[in-house]
Amino acid sequence: MSQILTPASFSWLADFLKAKSGLVLGPDKQYLLDSRLLPIARTEGCAGLEALVAKLRAQPTSKLASAVVDAMTTNESFFFRDGKPFEHFKAILPRLLAAKPAGQALRIWSAACSTGQEAYSLAMLLTEAKAMLAGRAVEILGTDLSAEVLARAKDGLYTQFEVQRGLPVTHLVKYFTKEGSNWKLKDPIRAMVSWRPWNLLDDPTPLGRFDVVFCRNVLIYFDQPTKGRVLDAIARCMPADGVLYLGGAETVLGITQKFEPLPGERGVYCLAGQAALHAPAQAAQPAVATNGKAAPAVRPASPSAVPGAVGLASVAMAGAAPRPGTAAVGSRST
């Protein structure tokens, strides 16, 4: 079976993949074509990659097109990946909850969620923080371009190898049941996450607004203009105090002016000009009177008195209720 694409066919395929998924296919990725598209060529009865591309050009909106895009996107994910983003999210959870009006759900988006480990990690984390939520509704949405990985995510069934990647043993025992050689998430955790096919190149407005967005290890597959387009779209669906998590090798710097890094944090971003909303609370310091005696401590100003921070104190005083991810443009690495 022929495995060589003419320059013209390679160029067409690269343009097709970028338009459909944002994936940038460089000349150095020829090995991916061989390993990922030859099986599809065989299934389609094509003599090789050249014949497959010819068939695809004749049917660019067919099931074949979806199969090619799915095959070329990277589906790499594991539980509590990198650790730090989840630790940071747990640390800021009280503030996020305090800023939400009573009765309003906390919404989290796991963008390009792949087979669901990121979204379920968040579900387990929030279950562990149940007391902190104080009954607040939480919505976690996982989206991906690939229907195949979304089906796996919804099923919540993982291999022994997959549950050994980042998942604490205590969580495995607590939230999974053994099914043959695999492990399945229990219904309460699976019920916390909803799934929807979505292309990150599309306007996310129909998905609603999100307090927290995990879009990690996806942008690395895009060129600069596409990265900016995706980030700007995400910014439009976040409130002023929203938080964005990117992968450790990703950044907003030089790409968009809609976000800025949170000081002292890697891979954590807020909307531009809103860093003050994310500053840690300052402990009150006793004032010193001119006679050398300590004056009464000055109480810190209410958050509602700080420009741009209206409402941040409301839940803190009332008992704090809370404010809830496939990769291609969907399936990427999360």
Side-chain angles (χ1 to χ4, degrees), residues 7-71:
S9 292
F10 185 92
S11 179
W12 183 91
L13 181 60
D15 290 343
F16 169 81
L17 290 171
K18 183 178 179 182
K20 292 292 185 180
S21 70
L23 176 67
V24 175
L25 182 67
D28 59 329
K29 296 295 191 294
Q30 175 69 42
Y31 72 96
L32 287 178
L33 301 183
D34 297 342
S35 62
R36 299 185 182 185
L37 296 188
L38 279 176
I40 296 178
R42 296 188 186 97
T43 300
E44 293 292 322
C46 297
L49 295 182
E50 189 69 30
L52 178 67
V53 171
K55 187 173 184 177
L56 182 61
R57 296 182 73 163
Q59 306 172 25
T61 59
S62 63
K63 289 184 179 180
L64 173 60
S66 297
V68 169
V69 172
D70 280 2

Side-chain angles (χ1 to χ4, degrees), residues 95-307:
R95 178 179 57 74
L96 291 174
L97 299 177
K100 298 292 291 180
Q104 191 173 109
L106 176 72
R107 301 197 74 226
I108 304 175
W109 181 15
S110 176
C113 62
S114 189
T115 44
Q117 287 94 320
E118 179 179 83
Y120 284 136
S121 295
L122 291 165
M124 288 183 277
L125 184 155
L126 289 165
T127 299
E128 294 287 307
K130 184 177 181 179
M132 191 186 303
L133 296 178
R136 172 82 64 167
V138 175
E139 298 175 9
I140 307 174
L141 175 66
T143 68
D144 201 280
L145 182 66
S146 170
E148 181 180 348
V149 298
L150 282 179
R152 279 207 60 207
K154 185 175 182 179
D155 194 39
L157 186 68
Y158 298 96
T159 65
Q160 182 70 39
F161 174 73
E162 288 170 325
V163 298
Q164 288 175 336
R165 301 183 77 193
L167 184 69
V169 174
T170 53
H171 283 44
L172 178 63
V173 173
K174 189 174 183 179
Y175 298 116
F176 291 75
T177 56
K178 196 80 163 64
E179 289 197 1
S181 60
N182 298 319
W183 295 85
K184 186 155 189 169
L185 273 157
K186 294 181 179 179
D187 290 344
I189 297 297
R190 292 170 57 212
M192 291 179 67
V193 185
S194 59
W195 309 97
R196 182 169 176 174
W198 197 262
N199 191 325
L200 286 181
L201 301 185
D202 295 336
D203 179 6
T205 300
L207 301 179
R209 292 175 66 78
F210 296 93
D211 305 292
V212 178
V213 177
F214 280 72
C215 185
R216 304 170 62 227
N217 307 303
V218 182
L219 300 182
I220 54 175
Y221 296 96
F222 303 155
D223 60 16
Q224 293 293 87
T226 304
K227 292 176 184 179
R229 175 181 165 189
V230 171
L231 288 169
D232 289 354
I234 290 174
R236 292 195 297 270
C237 68
M238 297 181 70
D241 64 339
V243 179
L244 169 68
Y245 293 93
L246 298 181
E250 298 168 328
T251 183
V252 303
L253 301 178
I255 299 174
T256 179
Q257 296 182 340
K258 300 293 186 181
F259 288 100
E260 63 183 66
L262 278 184
E265 300 294 340
R266 181 182 180 187
V268 188
Y269 302 87
C270 64
L271 293 177
Q274 302 298 331
L277 297 180
H278 303 269
Q282 299 274 331
Q285 298 295 324
V288 178
T290 55
N291 61 6
K293 295 182 180 180
V298 177
R299 297 179 63 85
S302 166
S304 60
V306 179

